[in-house]
Amino acid sequence: MSGLRVLYALALLVACWLPRAAGAEPSVLVLAALTVALVLEVALDACRRRGLRALGLLALWNALLVAAGGLALEQSGAEGGAFWAAVVAVWLGAWLLVSHVAELPRRPGLWGRLVALIAPIVFGLTVLWIWEVVVDALNVPRVILPAPSEIGARLSESTDTLWIDLVQTFGRGALAGFTIGCGAAVLFALVVDRYPFLRRGLLPVGNFLAALPIIGTAPIFVMWFGFDWPSKAAVVVAMVFFPMLVNTVQGLAATDAMQRDLMRTYSAGWWQTLMTLRLPAAMPFVFNGLKICATLALIGSIVAEFFGSPTYGMGFRISTEVGRLQLDMVWAEIAVAALLGSAFYGFWALLERRVTFWHPSQRSR
Amino acid sequence: MRRSLPVLTVVVVLIGLWYLLVIPMNAKWERDQAARAGTELGLGTLVVNTMGQDRPVLPAPHQVVVELWNSTVVEEFTGRRGIWRSGSLSNRSLVYHGLVTLGATMLGFVIGTGAGILLAIGIVYNKAMDASVMPWAIASQTIPIIALAPMIIVVLNSVGISGLIPKAIIAAYLSFFPVVVGMVKGLRAPDAMQLDLMKTWSASGGQVFRTLRLPSSMPYLFASLKVGVAAALVGTIVGELPVQQGGLGVRLLSGSYYGQTVQIWAALFAAAILAAGLVWIVALIEKRVLRRMGMAP
């Protein structure tokens, strides 16, 4: 960490010493904030009291925020060396902040989980800020890379279009395919499970098929089912069926002989054994499959739209707006897709925590 | 034999189902033709005819195999533009398009794997990187990053970079994240006892890495390499869609433009064979490496 601090001090010195052109270079406010951040950081290292350290981290965060905000607002398009040195200093400062946060003792519970979120959030914000500043300072053409602020503006302006696309791609294509594909796979897995011969044959074939580029079936399904959402749902079904099948079959085999024998001594039938022992025991595997398929479903329905779609849908919008070089719209769609993807995944992860609370992997560490 | 019999049975049943499916899917066209010609269509002729259409709704398996054979061996050795007569691969053959795709996939896979391993080492040895980058690497597994593919291709094309590199970049970032996550898990696989033992031998950081962490990460690395190479191939194929410069993705798209169903299926099978081959090669290397390290029978 001391190496980082030396680099930070060097960058700050360079930012102060380099000749400053009128108007364009880091203002006194920015340089002062950066100096305060350095002092705070050194003090943090010396301080041992926990409450003071938390306060110091907050102050360091604020000092860096002032410096970053000042730099972004002062940009005029004629940036020189001092400006870039200050940008590097802010980046190194964020790194120092994150490494201090990472040193905090890990505590269980909600508070600990919130503290663990600080570092990735700081990292994400730093990346966005550098993106913004670099695009502005270098005058990168908007048809190559729009700045995050423009993407955000586009995001809030075209909520209508984005919503229509989302409903078409996710609400119709991905969800329908996901439901049909996963449902069929679970039902089929129950059949497969009854016949060991079938299981020994289908598991290797299913594993093999799951590794293939099934996305390539998209043009075929578009021919069969037309441009609208049924063809997207069909692609998703083809993509999710085998991963789900393999996981469920493995899950149904997860009980050991002792447990099944116990059910037999209770004279439980196949159905009772399934409902009270084997399905609950299969749940960790089933949820693993559902989480994999949640990601695949969105990928499938977006890529299938590249092969033909009605005049709305996320994949359609991405491919046409790329053609029109409206990249801010493309990035807005990608941001929506990213949020949607992690939300859909997070939904299954949360449900998994509720359903398989008994499993070792879900116990709090 | 005991292990391959069930697998073979399943494969045969699947092919049988395919043949059965061909009949109803292609029957409508045959019936229309017969009605137009005013002839009566017997069940036998109907079944035979559905298996040999020019542009079937669903081609029969043997049609796909014949198309695969024609567009590789026959095209290269008897075609006017094939390697036999012209000295260079024909741009109508799947060998040429497969090699275009394979080249971009391999380049991207190597870049993605290398960068992934480097980042994983950084994450394992640097607490700040672990706390800040690792959650993003995990979250990126849940988002459809392949949606970026058309944009990367078009933007790089507009600044004058085209051909192999843009596709390789897409393949690289698709194989990058699985490798990072798997490799971090692998480098952390040694337990506290083993690390303490290294400490009692006063092993340096480099020695611990070389003799303990790296070897114990191998099973995890190979598991994610198999995922990564398949993902890289998908990335390359999708990356070939917006700019038509050869590759299996182009064959898929042009087949769907011109209604050449057999061509689509042949390209699809070529992609599947390529994917299976790549995964198989990784598995083979895995077996060799683990055996030499005494970790596999």
Side-chain angles (χ1 to χ4, degrees):
Chain A
M1 215 184 286
S2 54
L4 265 182
R5 189 184 302 145
V6 171
L7 282 179
Y8 177 84
L10 266 178
L12 181 53
L13 275 179
V14 170
C16 292
W17 248 260
L18 276 183
R20 299 205 260 148
E25 295 310 306
S27 62
V28 180
L29 175 71
V30 170
L31 293 177
L34 285 174
T35 318
V36 169
L38 178 62
V39 174
L40 278 172
E41 202 275 324
V42 174
L44 258 180
D45 219 27
C47 172
R48 285 282 154 257
R49 284 181 51 194
R50 200 177 285 164
L52 267 181
R53 279 179 70 91
L55 269 182
L57 279 176
L58 205 62
L60 180 57
W61 158 253
N62 279 320
L64 287 173
L65 206 61
V66 168
L71 275 174
L73 289 178
E74 285 161 10
Q75 282 184 305
S76 62
E79 279 75 15
F83 174 81
W84 291 113
V87 169
V88 170
V90 171
W91 172 61
L92 289 170
W95 192 337
L96 279 168
L97 175 66
V98 165
S99 47
H100 276 294
V101 171
E103 292 289 325
L104 290 177
R106 287 216 178 153
R107 276 186 288 178
L110 185 66
W111 187 243
R113 241 179 278 156
L114 284 180
V115 168
L117 274 181
I118 296 176
I121 289 174
V122 171
F123 176 74
L125 286 178
T126 313
V127 169
L128 278 183
W129 176 77
I130 290 182
W131 178 354
E132 176 85 38
V133 166
V134 167
V135 166
D136 271 357
L138 297 182
N139 284 319
V140 177
R142 296 306 181 250
V143 294
I144 289 180
L145 188 67
S149 56
E150 290 162 337
I151 297 166
R154 169 64 67 184
L155 206 58
S156 56
E157 273 169 30
S158 6
T159 40
D160 294 348
T161 322
L162 291 169
W163 177 250
I164 292 170
D165 293 346
L166 188 152
V167 168
Q168 168 73 7
T169 302
F170 180 72
R172 301 208 181 102
L175 267 190
F178 182 81
T179 317
I180 297 171
C182 291
V186 169
L187 289 183
F188 195 53
L190 292 177
V191 177
V192 170
D193 186 64
R194 292 212 75 170
Y195 305 100
F197 183 82
L198 208 53
R199 184 169 71 220
R200 282 204 305 272
L202 255 177
L203 267 189
V205 175
N207 265 326
F208 174 74
L209 288 176
L212 297 183
I214 305 214
I215 199 88
T217 54
I220 296 160
F221 284 126
V222 169
M223 272 184 182
W224 287 355
F225 299 108
F227 281 167
D228 211 350
W229 64 269
S231 60
K232 280 70 198 172
V235 174
V236 174
V237 168
M239 280 181 84
V240 302
F241 184 78
F242 282 104
M244 193 64 206
L245 179 70
V246 169
N247 271 292
T248 313
V249 169
Q250 274 174 345
L252 286 174
T255 50
D256 56 32
M258 192 88 91
Q259 292 166 321
R260 269 168 300 177
D261 281 350
L262 182 63
M263 292 309 279
R264 203 167 296 147
T265 62
Y266 295 153
S267 79
W270 179 82
W271 185 248
Q272 278 179 314
T273 315
L274 182 74
M275 293 312 281
T276 53
L277 171 66
R278 308 192 49 209
L279 265 189
M283 276 306 139
F285 293 85
V286 170
F287 273 102
N288 190 30
L290 284 172
K291 286 193 289 186
I292 296 172
C293 296
T295 316
L296 288 178
L298 205 52
I299 292 176
S301 63
I302 289 179
V303 173
E305 286 180 4
F306 294 162
F307 286 95
S309 66
T311 54
Y312 42 91
M314 297 169 95
F316 168 80
R317 195 75 58 198
I318 288 173
S319 53
T320 48
E321 297 292 332
V322 160
R324 295 171 54 206
L325 293 176
Q326 299 278 327
L327 287 196
D328 48 352
M329 191 65 197
V330 177
W331 278 102
E333 288 282 357
I334 287 168
V336 171
L339 276 178
L340 198 63
S342 38
F344 196 36
Y345 184 92
F347 170 76
W348 292 111
L350 274 182
L351 200 63
E352 178 183 26
R353 194 169 288 180
R354 295 297 293 272
V355 174
T356 66
F357 57 91
W358 47 270
H359 195 259
S361 69
Q362 299 296 334
R363 285 178 209 145
S364 60
R365 269 144 284 174
Chain B
M1 195 60 210
R2 271 207 64 219
R3 278 178 58 201
S4 54
L5 184 67
V7 177
L8 280 178
T9 317
V10 166
V11 170
V12 167
V13 168
L14 280 179
I15 293 177
L17 278 178
W18 184 350
Y19 267 113
L20 280 181
L21 210 61
V22 166
I23 301 167
M25 294 208 60
N26 295 340
K28 188 175 174 294
W29 195 80
E30 286 301 330
R31 286 214 190 87
D32 286 354
Q33 288 297 101
R36 220 167 283 167
T39 50
E40 199 66 28
L41 202 60
L43 187 66
T45 4
L46 177 76
V47 169
V48 171
N49 282 355
T50 52
M51 301 287 166
Q53 289 180 4
D54 230 11
R55 291 182 178 191
V57 178
L58 174 66
H62 67 263
Q63 282 181 297
V64 177
V65 172
V66 167
E67 170 72 15
L68 264 177
W69 175 259
N70 280 343
S71 56
T72 51
V73 177
V74 174
E75 175 69 27
E76 289 302 347
F77 285 101
T78 64
R80 188 168 51 82
R81 282 179 286 185
I83 195 164
W84 195 254
R85 296 221 196 142
S86 70
S88 63
L89 289 169
S90 162
N91 64 354
R92 282 172 55 194
S93 87
L94 281 174
V95 181
Y96 167 77
H97 291 286
L99 282 178
V100 168
T101 302
L102 180 67
T105 305
M106 285 322 290
L107 182 63
F109 176 61
V110 169
I111 297 172
T113 307
I117 292 175
L118 285 183
L119 184 65
I121 293 171
I123 283 174
V124 168
Y125 280 95
N126 188 319
K127 246 183 171 174
M129 276 174 90
D130 179 27
S132 56
V133 182
M134 194 58 192
W136 289 105
I138 294 172
S140 68
Q141 305 263 314
T142 69
I143 64 175
I145 29 180
I146 203 157
L148 283 164
M151 188 173 58
I152 292 179
I153 298 286
V154 171
V155 165
L156 287 182
N157 211 37
S158 74
V159 295
I161 304 170
S162 63
L164 190 70
I165 303 291
K167 289 188 279 178
I169 290 174
I170 294 165
Y173 75 59
L174 278 177
S175 56
F176 172 73
F177 292 110
V179 171
V180 172
V181 175
M183 193 67 184
V184 166
K185 222 187 239 174
L187 288 173
R188 292 224 172 101
D191 57 23
M193 191 96 86
Q194 291 168 313
L195 288 169
D196 280 350
L197 183 63
M198 294 305 276
K199 203 170 276 172
T200 63
W201 286 334
S202 79
S204 68
Q207 281 173 324
V208 174
F209 179 75
R210 226 177 32 249
T211 56
L212 177 61
R213 283 193 191 272
L214 199 59
S216 51
S217 72
M218 282 303 131
Y220 297 86
L221 176 65
F222 278 108
S224 45
L225 284 186
K226 280 186 238 168
V227 177
V229 79
L233 184 66
V234 171
T236 310
I237 290 175
V238 174
E240 282 162 351
L241 298 180
V243 178
Q244 311 269 307
Q245 287 171 338
L248 293 175
V250 171
R251 293 291 283 189
L252 284 176
L253 198 62
S254 65
S256 85
Y257 279 164
Y258 304 117
Q260 298 286 353
T261 35
V262 187
Q263 180 191 323
I264 301 181
W265 280 91
L268 187 61
F269 269 73
I273 292 167
L274 204 56
L278 288 172
V279 173
W280 180 73
I281 289 171
V282 174
L284 203 70
I285 298 173
E286 174 185 27
K287 216 170 168 186
R288 280 281 184 82
V289 168
L290 292 189
R291 190 178 294 162
R292 279 200 67 173
M293 286 166 50
M295 293 165 86

